[in-house]
Amino acid sequence: MIIWGTRGVTTTSEKGEFYCPQCSGRQPYKVKKVRKFFTLYFIPTIPLGTRGEYVECQRCEGTYRTEVLALDPEVRDKRIEAEFKTGLRRALAMMILADEQILSIEIEVAQKIYEGLTGSILPKADMDREIGAARSSPMDLWSYLESMRDALNTQGKEIILKAIFAVAMIDEDFDEAERELFVSVGEALELTPAHIKGIIVELANG
């Protein structure tokens, strides 16, 4: 009786070093390729094609798609920082506009908050341009928040909410329009309603 069938055979096609997301550092890796073979008496004899390819970290044994080899943490961190700064500027501008009046003190506080959180100076002319852009393209804020939310941890998301709350409370009146924007930003950052409410209570009682 002839015994035949198919099976996957895993081989190493490449070795080197890469940035492992799980180890958070450079580690040795192997690229594993899985090929399907026709077997005769359980012996692989005829290759039938490649079934898949993945990268395996030799330290933590985590597996990743081969795109991970192109990951540059320095480039990623710069992109995250840029998105955070852009989103924060727009969120501050939107909160200034929420009550339909622009106070000089609001702009000054927004500048100080931005500098304190990012370490970068935000000139008044740049803040004025941001407010103008926010007025003409309010939906841009949600695009920025969506790009930021996966990169920010919970603390980072809370920082943005607390920053815009500080601007809202300059006139000591957290009105309905400001509250709605605050909640919308929290939801866009994928914080739960209970979490958002907790932040409001914490800040109101602070």
Side-chain angles (χ1 to χ4, degrees), residues 18 21 31 53-56 62-71:
F18 80 131
V31 175
E53 195 172 36
Y54 61 91
V55 175
E56 180 183 83
T63 57
Y64 309 94
R65 296 172 61 176
T66 54
E67 287 84 351
V68 76
L69 296 178
L71 177 64

Side-chain angles (χ1 to χ4, degrees), residues 43-60:
I43 300 173
T45 56
I46 302 173
L48 300 176
T50 301
R51 300 182 66 177
E53 195 172 36
Y54 61 91
V55 175
E56 180 183 83
C57 175
Q58 298 305 288
R59 181 178 181 274
C60 68

